[in-house]
Each structure stands twice: as C-alpha cells, then as structure tokens.
C-alpha cells in the first residue's frame, strides 16, 4: 500500500506538451505555467527552452514563489534547436554540445535540478556502435560542464529513452542498451542518469516491469503517460502522449497501478534523487483541442485511483 502522496513523491507536468508556445509568444507559456502553479496538486513542473531572458526570470520568480520542484525538458528544446548529440558529423555534434551548454546555463538560471536529453535518430545497425560512442562522449562533456558551472547544487543530466523502430526512432533506444551507456557515463560522472517514460515502453515493445528493474540504479525521475499502437493509420498513433481512457490505448488505471507498484518495489520512492523528493511527471497532451483543464482533470482522476490501488 502506498504511503501518503505528499510524503512520497512530487507530481509534475511537462509544460510544453500541454501548453505549447512559439518563442515569439512567451506570454502563452506564462499563462500555462500559472495554470499549473496555481494548482496545489502539482508540486513539480518541467519547463523547456525559453528564448526570452525576461520571461525566464519571471517564470523563475513565480516557480520559486510557488515552491515547486523545477526540471528541464530537453526533448522539446532539442527538436526546436536541431540538437543531435549522437551525430557522426563532428561539426553538428560540436554545435549540439554548445547549444546544450547554453541550455545548462538556463537550467541554473531557473534552478532546475535535472535536465533531460535525448539521442539523435537511429541511423542503422552499421553505424549504431559509433553513434552510441559519440553520444556517450557528448553526455560526458555535458556532465563535466554542469559540474563546472555548479553553484548551490549540481545539475543532473538525464537521458530519456524512446522507441528506435516505430515512431520517434531514437538511437537510445532499448532500456538495456541505455543502461549500458549510462553505466559508462556514470563511471566518470555521478551527475548522470536515466528517465523512463511509461508511455514509450509499449511503443518500444518492452515490459514496463522489466524495464524499471533494469534501469533502477539510474532513474532520476519518471514520466507517466499514454500511447496508442493498435492502428498505424490513426492520427494519434505512436508517441503522441494522449490523455488516459482513449479507446484501445495502452495505459489506463490498471497499467498505471502496476507501474506505480513496480516503482515502489524497486525503491524508487526511497532512494536518493537529484530533487528534494522523487518526481513523477505527467507528459500528456490534448487529443482534439479540448481545454487543457479537462486533460488535467483526466490526469488527476486516473492518478488518484491508481495510487490508491498500488
């Protein structure tokens, strides 16, 4: 039986997923951020790249005032800035590392404790080993930079795993390969870990229970969400972060209950983390332009039932 939620974990949301915004309209981001900060259910928030310094400063002020735990979502930033840390083109990879260093600076500006990153695309078996080696080298550079820039705390760099063959086609990829890469980075830099996203595991063809046990020594935080893989023709096929309860989708109350139980079994909630408390972040998007408030209500109902049953 799970302990009282407030004692056990911080619950967050991936802001740019539910409240996407163009960089020239940062006020849209602030509206979304305030919606989350005004809701005491959320005790953590994942922000992403914000080009405007003024907006970053205002966001930080509001987040500090709200007392939430802050994390940085690299996935969205990487897509906007065309960052590829596993590229075999030295110029592309060098530029990508530099842009990540700029994002690390933003993390420290906003007091984010974790910055998660992703690899580039999987380019085929023949270049896989070289690409993974390139990514490991990039990750080590970022961990070193984060240490050098550290002040009151040290930023943790965390690799988010994604599917290699079905939708996003990331290099990493399968949990066992990501764990192997993480072990190499961690052997030199203790500020590195892994982020598992529940919604990615069905697309990756993995058993969530096994993946969590494989990655348990490296988990910095967890993403919760839903995905759909039954019909490739469906507009929401793949890694679209649907709300819960969509017909024939992969994650509902039962799957979330089992996932939370496994998190407890692997001692996710009691082992040290870069954040004050272990963080579970919902990465959920609207399905058909329904109001975000409806999606937030969907998240809460699903989560409360699963938490009570776990």
């Amino acid at each position: 039986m799970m302990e009282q939620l407030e004692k056990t974990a911080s619950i967050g949301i991936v802001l740019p997923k539910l409240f996407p915004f163009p960089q020239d309209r940062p006020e849209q981001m602030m509206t979304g951020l305030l919606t989350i900060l005004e809701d005491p259910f959320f005790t953590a928030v994942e922000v992403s790249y914000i080009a405007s310094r003024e907006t970053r400063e205002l966001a930080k002020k509001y987040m500090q005032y709200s007392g939430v735990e802050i994390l940085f979502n690299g996935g969205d930033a990487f897509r906007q800035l065309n960052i590829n840390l596993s590229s075999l083109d030295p110029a592309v990879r060098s530029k990508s590392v530099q842009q990540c260093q700029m994002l690390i600076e933003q993390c420290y500006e906003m007091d984010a404790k974790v910055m998660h990153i992703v690899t580039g695309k999987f380019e085929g078996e023949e270049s896989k080993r070289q690409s993974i080696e390139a990514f490991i080298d990039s990750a080590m550079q970022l961990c070193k930079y984060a240490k050098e820039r550290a002040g009151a705390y040290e930023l943790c760099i965390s690799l988010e795993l994604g599917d290699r063959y079905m939708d996003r086609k990331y290099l990493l990829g399968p949990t066992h390969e990501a764990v192997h890469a993480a072990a190499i980075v961690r052997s030199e830099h203790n500020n590195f870990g892994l982020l598992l996203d529940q919604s990615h595991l069905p697309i990756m063809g993995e058993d969530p229970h096994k993946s969590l046990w494989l990655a348990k020594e490296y988990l910095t935080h967890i993403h919760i969400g839903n995905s759909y893989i039954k019909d490739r023709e469906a507009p929401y096929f793949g890694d679209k972060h649907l709300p819960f309860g969509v017909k024939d989708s992969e994650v509902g109350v039962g799957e979330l209950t089992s996932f939370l139980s496994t998190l407890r079994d692997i001692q996710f909630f009691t082992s040290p983390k870069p954040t004050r408390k272990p963080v579970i972040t919902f990465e959920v998007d609207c399905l058909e332009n329904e109001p975000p408030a409806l999606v937030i209500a969907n998240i809460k109902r699903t989560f409360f039932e699963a938490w009570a049953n776990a």
Side-chain angles (χ1 to χ4, degrees):
M1 186 66 196
M2 286 290 194
E3 267 207 74
Q4 183 189 354
L5 175 59
E6 291 83 353
K7 280 186 183 172
T8 312
S10 289
I11 304 299
I13 198 151
V14 174
L15 196 71
K17 193 61 68 185
L18 191 54
F19 298 100
F21 71 100
Q23 290 295 346
D24 59 354
R25 298 290 303 279
E27 67 280 1
Q28 289 182 14
M29 191 279 302
M30 288 306 302
T31 304
L33 180 61
L34 282 169
T35 302
I36 298 306
L37 298 182
E38 288 165 3
D39 185 339
F41 172 73
F42 295 108
T43 47
V45 65
E46 264 187 51
V47 292
S48 193
Y49 172 55
I50 305 168
S52 155
R53 175 181 283 275
E54 200 182 334
T55 308
R56 287 199 301 275
E57 286 170 358
L58 188 59
K60 178 187 176 174
K61 191 166 119 181
Y62 286 168
M63 288 188 291
Q64 280 186 326
Y65 185 74
S66 310
V68 292
E69 192 83 67
I70 304 159
L71 302 93
F72 187 93
N73 183 294
D76 278 270
F78 277 37
R79 283 187 284 279
Q80 280 186 52
L81 299 168
N82 293 317
I83 292 173
N84 181 355
L85 295 174
S86 52
S87 174
L88 294 179
D89 178 334
V92 170
R93 190 159 73 89
S94 173
K95 188 179 179 207
S96 296
V97 168
Q98 283 174 352
Q99 286 178 306
C100 281
Q101 289 172 340
M102 177 268 292
L103 295 176
I104 287 170
E105 299 286 352
Q106 287 202 10
C107 288
Y108 280 126
E109 266 182 55
M110 292 190 286
D111 274 347
K113 299 298 190 296
V114 179
M115 173 171 129
H116 80 67
I117 60 176
V118 289
T119 63
K121 301 286 186 197
F122 175 63
E123 306 285 358
E125 285 297 331
E126 58 290 337
S127 62
K128 183 179 86 170
R129 208 189 90 231
Q130 268 181 294
S131 298
I132 291 175
E133 283 170 3
F135 171 74
I136 288 170
D137 181 72
S138 301
M140 286 192 177
Q141 289 183 57
L142 298 183
C143 290
K144 182 170 181 280
Y145 188 79
K147 275 184 191 291
E148 286 166 359
R149 307 298 292 175
Y153 69 94
E154 203 172 84
L155 179 71
C156 180
I157 306 294
S158 183
L159 167 66
E160 181 178 22
L161 313 193
D163 71 279
R164 180 179 277 173
Y165 300 110
M166 199 179 275
D167 185 6
R168 294 277 191 198
K169 301 191 165 76
Y170 286 125
L171 172 65
L172 292 171
T175 302
H176 68 282
E177 291 189 34
V179 165
H180 181 68
I184 296 170
V185 180
R186 182 79 73 83
S187 70
E188 291 191 31
H189 301 281
N190 60 359
N191 59 333
F192 186 79
L194 297 175
L195 161 60
L196 242 64
D197 185 324
Q198 183 189 16
S199 70
H200 292 173
L201 295 168
I203 315 171
M204 290 160 69
E206 294 193 14
D207 173 320
H209 182 79
K210 285 184 185 157
S211 301
L212 285 171
W213 276 95
L214 267 174
K216 74 186 184 85
E217 303 298 328
Y218 300 95
L219 293 175
T220 56
H221 65 302
I222 290 289
H223 276 181
I224 300 272
N226 189 12
S227 53
Y228 177 92
I229 55 173
K230 296 279 191 304
D231 174 12
R232 276 185 176 272
E233 300 309 308
Y236 44 81
F237 170 81
D239 183 20
K240 301 291 188 298
H241 297 283
L242 326 173
F244 298 99
V246 175
K247 190 177 183 316
D248 289 333
S249 60
E250 294 299 314
V251 182
V253 171
E255 290 78 13
L256 183 50
T257 303
S258 163
F259 195 79
L260 291 170
S261 298
T262 304
L263 284 175
R264 182 194 57 212
D265 295 344
I266 63 170
Q267 287 158 356
F268 173 78
F269 296 113
T270 51
S271 57
K273 297 284 179 292
T275 44
R276 293 194 302 267
K277 282 189 288 188
V279 174
I280 296 174
T281 321
F282 280 91
E283 188 166 16
V284 182
D285 197 354
C286 299
L287 181 64
E288 293 168 329
N289 298 323
E290 63 276 14
L294 201 58
V295 177
I296 289 170
N298 165 291
I299 286 169
K300 290 177 185 174
R301 291 186 187 110
T302 307
F303 179 76
F304 283 135
E305 189 176 341
W307 185 267
N309 293 335

